[in-house]
């Protein structure tokens, strides 16, 4: 099974990204299928996350909770076939690492073997540290994720900014240090005040990758559909939309529908012609009963 399209750029690895701490900012983005992954990789993005946000933005679920590992594997295989340079990270879905260390290792190994990812991401800090250590011991790099962790939406009571009080900020720093200690190669900080993200970034020897965490992180990540303007529903204030794909696509579909209805599509250049001399023969059979058998029509 060969996943690697030809490219002259060096493949980005987890240790290589870890070594970027404090250097050139890490550019990370999600992708969910072959076309989006091709575009993300060819744009030179460093880390491509097969995010469990696929649940909301591509599969129409209300949260990330329902998406299964099998669904993530289908998506990650398509992504992996498209990527030649970026580090591909698979997002462990809810319920695939919460039961036990053994379950977490099994899920991560499936993600790597069947999904082709090169690292996994999981949500949570100190309480997931033993799991992070075990997955790293199974030779799989781990990207941590703290702050607003969407898989905890029911416990948190909504999607809220985290780490706003002094106690919450201390807890966030402890979570980040626990992930580093457990062997994570980098940590995603989601929806935390910029000042707290700056503090965490300063305290860690591994990179922080922010999403709604201000400008002081070692890198930034966004959801692909938010960036290109293809998300439906609420878009968080931290998103910068760089294109309006929704309008572009809706306009194209509208023009196509109008052309079909007015018979402007397809035109001659968009249609196939018969071989030379066949047109005249077609005139002969024009008017014949098209439901008659070939024998009846050629008799
Ligand atoms: O699934 C996701 O999109 C994420 C974000 C950190 C980008 O986890």
């Amino acid at each position: 099974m060969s996943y690697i399209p030809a490219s002259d750029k060096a493949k980005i690895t987890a240790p290589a990204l870890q070594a970027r701490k404090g250097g050139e900012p890490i550019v990370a983005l999600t992708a969910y299928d072959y076309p989006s992954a091709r575009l993300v990789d060819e744009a030179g993005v460093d880390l491509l996350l097969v995010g469990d946000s696929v649940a909301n933005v591509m599969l129409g679920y209300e949260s990330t909770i329902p998406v299964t590992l099998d669904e993530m594997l289908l998506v990650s295989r398509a992504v992996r076939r498209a990527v030649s340079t970026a580090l591909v990270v698979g997002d462990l879905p809810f319920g695939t690492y919460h039961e036990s260390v053994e379950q977490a290792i099994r899920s991560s190994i499936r993600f790597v073997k069947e999904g082709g990812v090169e690292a996994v991401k999981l949500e949570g800090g100190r309480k997931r540290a033993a799991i992070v250590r075990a997955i790293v011991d199974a030779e799989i790099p781990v990207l941590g994720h703290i702050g607003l962790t969407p898989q905890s939406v029911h416990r948190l009571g909504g999607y809220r900014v985290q780490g706003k009080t002094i106690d919450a900020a201390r807890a966030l720093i402890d979570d980040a240090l626990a992930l580093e200690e457990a062997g994570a190669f980098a940590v995603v900080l989601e929806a935390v005040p910029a000042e707290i993200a700056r503090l965490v970034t300063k305290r860690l020897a591994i990179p922080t990758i922010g999403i709604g965490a201000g400008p002081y992180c070692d890198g930034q990540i966004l959801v692909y559909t938010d960036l290109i303007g293809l998300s439906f529903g609420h878009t968080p204030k931290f998103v910068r939309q760089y294109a309006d794909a929704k309008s572009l696509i809706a306009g194209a579909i509208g023009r196509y529908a109008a052309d079909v209805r007015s018979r402007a599509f397809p035109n001659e250049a968009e249609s196939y012609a018969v071989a030379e001399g066949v047109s005249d023969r077609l005139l002969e059979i024009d008017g014949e009963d098209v439901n008659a058998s070939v024998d009846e029509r050629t008799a």
Side-chain angles (χ1 to χ4, degrees):
M1 177 163 53
S2 170
Y3 283 123
I4 319 290
S7 165
D8 47 8
K9 285 195 236 140
K11 186 81 181 68
I12 295 173
T13 63
L17 278 190
Q18 185 172 339
R20 294 258 296 268
K21 173 75 186 177
E24 188 193 347
I26 294 168
V27 183
L29 196 57
T30 64
Y32 311 105
D33 58 14
Y34 186 86
S36 60
R38 273 298 287 260
L39 292 170
V40 169
D41 191 52
E42 286 170 12
V45 166
D46 300 308
L47 184 158
L48 191 159
L49 174 68
V50 184
D52 64 349
S53 50
V54 69
N56 323 50
V57 302
M58 302 302 283
L59 302 179
Y61 292 122
E62 279 204 354
S63 73
T64 58
I65 304 290
V67 75
T68 66
L69 184 56
D70 284 325
E71 287 170 324
M72 295 299 293
L73 290 177
L74 182 74
V75 170
S76 59
R77 281 196 290 269
V79 165
R80 194 61 192 85
R81 284 191 285 268
V83 171
S84 57
T85 306
L87 177 74
V88 180
V89 180
D91 212 356
L92 284 168
F94 179 69
T96 65
Y97 59 97
H98 298 78
E99 286 174 21
S100 64
V101 165
E102 290 72 24
Q103 185 209 25
I105 295 174
R106 251 193 328 272
S107 302
S108 304
I109 288 177
R110 275 197 78 197
F111 228 150
V112 172
K113 285 184 81 114
E114 299 175 40
V117 304
E118 298 145 337
V120 296
K121 175 169 88 58
L122 57 81
E123 297 182 4
R126 281 160 291 173
K127 62 185 163 193
R128 305 276 176 249
I131 285 173
V132 170
R133 166 57 56 205
I135 298 172
V136 173
D137 282 349
E139 318 303 342
I140 300 171
V142 176
L143 176 61
H145 181 166
I146 53 174
L148 171 54
T149 47
Q151 292 175 9
S152 323
V153 61
H154 297 313
R155 183 179 57 75
L156 295 175
Y159 299 102
R160 300 204 175 88
V161 178
Q162 302 294 304
K164 282 178 103 168
T165 65
I166 193 68
D167 284 348
R170 282 211 176 93
L172 203 70
I173 293 168
D174 288 346
D175 281 337
L177 288 168
L179 291 171
E180 172 175 301
E181 171 71 23
F185 74 89
V187 179
V188 169
L189 302 178
E190 177 164 353
V192 302
E195 276 305 294
I196 307 301
R198 190 180 65 80
L199 207 59
V200 173
T201 302
K202 204 167 140 207
R203 292 286 297 275
L204 289 191
I206 57 173
T208 57
I209 301 177
I211 174 163
Y216 308 112
C217 296
D218 297 299
Q220 298 291 332
I221 185 162
L222 279 179
V223 166
Y224 172 78
T225 50
D226 288 344
L227 179 146
I228 64 165
L230 194 56
S231 291
F232 293 82
H234 173 71
T235 306
K237 88 165 198 171
F238 58 75
V239 168
R240 188 178 294 177
Q241 190 186 310
Y242 286 86
D244 188 3
K246 225 189 287 175
S247 300
L248 193 75
I249 294 170
I253 295 168
R255 289 195 300 282
Y256 162 70
D259 283 353
V260 170
R261 290 187 182 114
S262 68
R263 299 196 180 279
F265 175 82
N267 62 23
E268 206 180 318
E270 290 155 341
S271 308
Y272 294 105
V274 291
E276 227 178 287
V278 174
S279 280
D280 293 344
R281 287 294 326 273
L282 285 178
L283 283 178
E284 288 167 24
I285 62 170
D286 193 21
E288 282 180 8
D289 180 0
V290 289
N291 293 319
S293 71
V294 173
D295 286 348
E296 282 170 325
R297 277 188 263 134
T298 53

